[in-house]
Amino acid sequence: MTTPDTIPAKDFNLGNGQTIRNAHVHLNPGVDELYNDAIRLGEGVKAATGPLTVRTNKTGRSPKDRFIVEDAETKENVWWEGFNVPIAASVFDNLLEKMLKYADGKELFVQQVFAGTDPEHRIACQMITEMAYHSLFIHNMFVRPTPQELQNFQAEWTVLNIPSFKADPAVDGTRTDTFILVNFGKKMIIAGGTQYAGENKKGIFGVLNYLLPAKGVMPMHCSANVGPEDDVALFFGLSGTGKTTLSADPSRKLIGDDEHGWTDRGVFNFEGGCYAKVINLNAEAEPAIYQTTRNYGTVLENVVLDASGTPDLNDGSLTENTRSAYPIDQIANIQPGSVGGIPKNVVFLTADAFGVLPPLSRLTPEQMMYQFISGFTAKIPGTEEGVTDPTPTFSTCFGAPFMPRHPGEYARLLAQKVKDSGAKVWLVNTGWTGGKYGEGHRMSIKHTRALINAALSGELDGVEFTRDPFFNLEIPAEVPGVPAEVLNPRDAWADKAAYDETAKKLARMFRENFKRFESGVDQAVTDSMPNPDA
């Protein structure tokens, strides 16, 4: 077992003239070593079935504590609204200096990895953390270089993540003692105060989201898979909408579950692993993902172990945001190289807790841009303190916290990609039907899969479509394997007047949310908005 005593202390160069003094550095440690070190450091325990299980001081990302250094370039290109908050370069420099001194003599774990499976567009990253569990997460989630690539590895970006280091807001200029600061000039991210490993991957995801549009590449918060006819499908959606579950289809090969780029040649995965939400995961409905929660090498975050040391995926006492981080090759049916051709179908997923959106509808180009910029899903009662009724969540581009540029820039780029490719675009509601949350019921995953399969296979090309009056959405009149009364949400409600009132309420929420974007989009996009007065 490696310990600080067995690793000689030496200065570690971060680049940009920054150095950590007398560090005990584990360079590119493997799975066995990281298991041993995480357990030795008290970060987690090995579950009876094999995964490393950890508990964290924060059970999700801290988007309000993420800042971007404002400089001459970012001042003009970052959309300084929402989650994109500027911070002065001096704040970054002062905090970095404090972190370097704090790290003097510490035991550190360093992974040299790539973000992106396309060699033309990937970035080389040096990921430094004090937590062995974080290093295993990074080992699982990023693209690992070959031995030959490691020999001449030159990092373009550096992430320094020291959870035990906390900022002093009164002195350091942060919002709280937690911080994630992104500096495009120095090509560096520094983070402290949070043990949640997702900050490591989302930090780099945000970097790619800023850099790639300038190269004509569309960065996307989506999963992707490919069918037997080499037909690529993309699945956009926020947490809890089924993005990971629905892309892990046994009849299609998985390209990736969360982050991708769309080039003129096709799509490529940003990652080498998957980060699945596993609360109430069912072994029968989702066997491939369920199996990863039993595998050696997987990291389980905030999953409760029962008395026998077995993960209890139905226990949300620590958080509803329980997670499994595993290498993509733990899924048997994957696409070699995690790359695919030009997409033929684009699917927007939403979990509508109001129960009024159709389970599947076809979007016009203008509706695609509208829905993409809106990025709608809904929170259900009980998931957050104070949430007692279905509450809308609008996250631009289905990933607002990690999209540095203006939403309209991403929407126009996606629209151009869709136009050039001729891809069909669908909106799929994986949420409630027959009533809102607490009155209706969750959409059957069997029906959702049947709807998506019909869309991807072309079975709906000759089907008649009807139009929903409130959201102006085209709904198929029939889909094999799906009862007719399920297809039109109004038909699924016993109380039609209650449906109409709820649909009007959600339509008004859509329109209110979009007011801040109207000046940046074409009139045709604005005209496609829902109509509560229909």
Side-chain angles (χ1 to χ4, degrees):
M1 178 185 296
T2 57
T3 67
D5 294 334
T6 62
I7 300 177
K10 64 178 181 179
D11 292 350
F12 183 79
N13 181 20
L14 279 68
N16 288 319
Q18 308 293 340
T19 301
I20 297 176
R21 304 292 181 187
N22 302 312
H24 300 269
V25 175
H26 301 254
L27 183 62
N28 297 316
V31 175
D32 291 347
E33 180 182 345
L34 291 170
Y35 258 67
N36 291 333
D37 289 330
I39 294 168
R40 170 177 59 84
L41 294 168
E43 297 171 2
V45 298
K46 182 180 177 182
T49 50
L52 179 69
T53 63
V54 299
R55 295 188 180 187
T56 58
N57 67 333
K58 292 182 182 293
T59 57
R61 290 178 294 102
S62 301
K64 293 182 180 180
D65 293 310
R66 169 184 166 272
F67 300 87
I68 298 174
V69 172
E70 184 177 12
D71 56 27
E73 180 183 341
T74 58
K75 184 177 182 180
E76 299 299 323
N77 294 309
V78 170
W79 187 53
W80 298 111
E81 291 191 29
F83 293 97
N84 298 319
V85 180
I87 204 163
S90 59
V91 173
F92 181 95
D93 293 341
N94 290 338
L95 263 174
L96 174 58
E97 184 178 355
K98 286 185 176 182
M99 289 182 75
L100 295 176
K101 290 180 179 178
Y102 181 85
D104 279 1
K106 285 194 177 295
E107 181 178 13
L108 298 173
F109 299 85
V110 179
Q111 295 284 354
Q112 295 169 317
V113 292
F114 293 117
T117 57
D118 185 333
E120 183 179 347
H121 300 295
R122 71 188 182 188
I123 56 175
C125 304
Q126 178 175 243
M127 314 288 288
I128 307 165
T129 181
E130 66 175 338
M131 298 191 76
Y133 127 69
H134 275 200
S135 199
L136 179 57
F137 174 93
I138 292 162
H139 180 274
N140 286 351
M141 294 304 305
F142 284 80
V143 179
R144 295 190 292 276
T146 64
Q148 293 76 21
E149 289 170 332
L150 276 177
Q151 288 179 5
N152 301 303
F153 191 89
Q154 296 291 325
E156 300 169 66
W157 274 79
T158 294
V159 175
L160 178 62
N161 188 349
I162 304 181
S164 67
F165 177 86
K166 296 181 179 181
D168 181 347
V171 175
D172 297 321
T174 56
R175 189 183 74 94
T176 67
D177 61 8
T178 296
F179 62 93
I180 304 97
L181 306 185
V182 185
N183 190 323
F184 284 95
K186 283 190 163 75
K187 295 185 177 181
M188 193 172 187
I189 300 172
I190 58 175
T194 174
Q195 297 171 351
Y196 186 68
E199 299 289 8
N200 293 290
K201 68 167 247 165
K202 289 305 185 185
I204 290 296
F205 182 32
V207 168
L208 286 167
N209 287 344
Y210 178 81
L211 297 176
L212 291 179
K215 302 168 68 175
V217 178
M218 177 64 196
M220 303 173 293
H221 184 210
C222 73
S223 58
N225 63 24
V226 57
E229 304 299 322
D230 290 330
D231 56 307
V232 171
L234 306 178
F235 299 82
F236 289 83
L238 300 171
S239 177
T241 59
K243 181 162 50 70
T244 297
T245 297
L246 292 169
S247 58
D249 186 326
S251 66
R252 300 173 65 85
K253 293 181 179 179
L254 180 68
I255 298 173
D257 86 320
D258 197 40
E259 302 168 359
H260 292 82
W262 186 344
T263 73
D264 292 337
R265 300 187 305 276
V267 300
F268 68 97
N269 193 354
F270 287 172
E271 302 179 286
C274 302
Y275 194 34
K277 191 171 183 179
V278 296
I279 190 71
N280 300 321
L281 194 69
N282 185 283
E284 294 183 4
E286 302 161 283
I289 301 172
Y290 183 89
Q291 181 56 47
T292 72
T293 68
R294 266 55 185 163
N295 290 348
Y296 179 77
T298 291
V299 175
L300 293 182
E301 281 185 323
N302 300 305
V303 172
V304 175
L305 300 181
D306 64 19
S308 69
T310 301
D312 182 356
L313 303 184
N314 296 317
D315 190 333
S317 58
L318 295 178
T319 176
E320 291 288 310
N321 189 36
T322 54
R323 292 279 177 168
S324 173
Y326 51 92
I328 195 170
D329 57 16
Q330 284 196 14
I331 301 292
N333 195 27
I334 60 173
Q335 174 75 349
S338 293
V339 295
I342 300 294
K344 293 186 178 180
N345 287 278
V346 176
V347 179
F348 294 162
L349 299 170
T350 181
D352 173 25
F354 295 87
V356 296
L357 289 180
L360 180 138
S361 52
R362 185 173 61 189
L363 301 182
T364 66
E366 293 77 22
Q367 289 174 328
M368 179 207 70
M369 291 185 69
Y370 181 84
Q371 293 293 338
F372 182 69
I373 292 174
S374 296
F376 167 74
T377 192
K379 296 175 185 176
I380 61 175
T383 56
E384 291 187 11
E385 186 177 353
V387 177
T388 57
D389 288 306
T391 304
T393 294
F394 294 100
S395 185
T396 54
C397 310
F398 296 99
F402 6 94
M403 298 293 180
R405 295 177 180 268
H406 191 285
E409 186 172 349
Y410 297 109
R412 284 188 289 273
L413 184 53
L414 179 61
Q416 189 62 52
K417 296 290 186 187
V418 168
K419 180 181 178 182
D420 292 345
S421 67
K424 297 183 178 70
V425 185
W426 311 89
L427 179 66
V428 171
N429 174 21
T430 63
W432 276 256
T433 183
K436 66 180 182 178
Y437 175 86
E439 298 173 4
H441 59 273
R442 190 77 192 253
M443 204 75 67
S444 160
I445 190 170
K446 180 181 177 181
H447 290 160
T448 299
R449 284 198 184 278
L451 289 164
I452 290 175
N453 288 339
L456 301 189
S457 67
E459 289 182 62
L460 302 185
D461 290 352
V463 170
E464 179 186 353
F465 282 74
T466 60
R467 192 170 291 278
D468 159 72
F470 298 111
F471 298 93
N472 200 29
L473 297 170
E474 295 182 338
I475 304 171
E478 58 178 332
V479 176
V482 181
E485 63 272 16
V486 171
L487 297 175
N488 190 313
R490 192 172 191 271
D491 293 342
W493 282 55
D495 187 338
K496 308 301 189 221
Y499 169 85
D500 292 342
E501 189 57 37
T502 306
K504 291 178 181 180
K505 177 182 177 180
L506 183 59
R508 286 191 290 269
M509 292 175 175
F510 264 91
R511 294 180 72 93
E512 182 64 27
N513 171 72
F514 206 77
K515 285 180 179 179
R516 59 195 174 119
F517 305 115
E518 289 183 25
S519 62
V521 300
D522 295 337
Q523 185 62 41
V525 176
T526 304
D527 290 344
S528 73
M529 288 195 295
N531 180 14
D533 300 320

